[in-house]
Amino acid sequence: TERINKKGDNINAGWLARNYGMSLANGELITFQDADDGSHTNRFEIQLYGMEKYKSDHVVVDWRKYSDDLNETVYDVDIDTLQVIDTDTILKTVQKNKKGFFKYPFSRNEDNNYLSSVAHRFDRKYLRSWDSYPLAASMPLFRRSVLGEVRFRQLYERVWPSGRGRGADRDFNFWLAETCKTSIGLEVPLVLWRHNGLDNKKYVDRN
């Protein structure tokens, strides 16, 4: 999904596509994966195992840089010895990063006036924390039953915007964690992120 602002800049509007996809989903579990990312083929298996073992409704895993050698492979891991970011730790991060006065994140892709830019800098420095959602928030696995009102919000609505970029995944996962109160993170690098993708010849050749 693409959106173009009046300057002609491309603005990522994938949040619309994800909301539409969730509205059509009728299975018990939902996850996402961007077309320009990859993951180990047992990502779902390990996330589901963590969900069942820790009675969680929302599970994220760690990431590593994309590599053609890793894509479409199984990650060999002893899932009973994984390091886990527990629910209490995540909920503390939720509250820490919810503080702030100015709701609008003033993305670099929007038309900003001087006063709004000053307000954003003040908010960022003194009122709000900008910790990332733990691990790789772009590929959560969660139960459809805990969604409730949670959805991907457009830029100006986000309560947990990103200090850099737009923060759609960050906002969604913090909101879902606050809602379901059973979120965990598994520290195993199953997500293959396109980090420096344009400089990664194997990535470019494959895509």
Side-chain angles (χ1 to χ4, degrees), residues 24-88:
L24 298 179
N26 55 21
E28 178 187 358
L29 302 173
I30 297 176
T31 190
F32 313 110
Q33 182 163 308
D34 290 350
D36 54 354
D37 292 329
S39 69
H40 289 279
T41 55
N42 58 339
R43 172 171 78 87
F44 303 139
E45 175 189 349
I46 293 177
Q47 283 179 289
L48 181 59
Y49 178 87
M51 182 176 281
E52 293 174 344
K53 180 176 181 179
Y54 296 99
K55 296 180 172 55
S56 172
D57 297 304
H58 174 215
V59 181
V60 294
V61 290
D62 211 349
W63 66 275
R64 62 171 62 183
K65 185 176 178 179
Y66 183 96
S67 167
D68 192 54
D69 297 332
L70 297 174
N71 194 45
E72 299 180 1
T73 62
V74 170
Y75 189 89
D76 186 16
V77 61
D78 182 354
I79 50 183
D80 289 316
T81 62
L82 288 180
Q83 294 295 311
V84 178
I85 299 176
D86 62 30
T87 299
D88 287 345

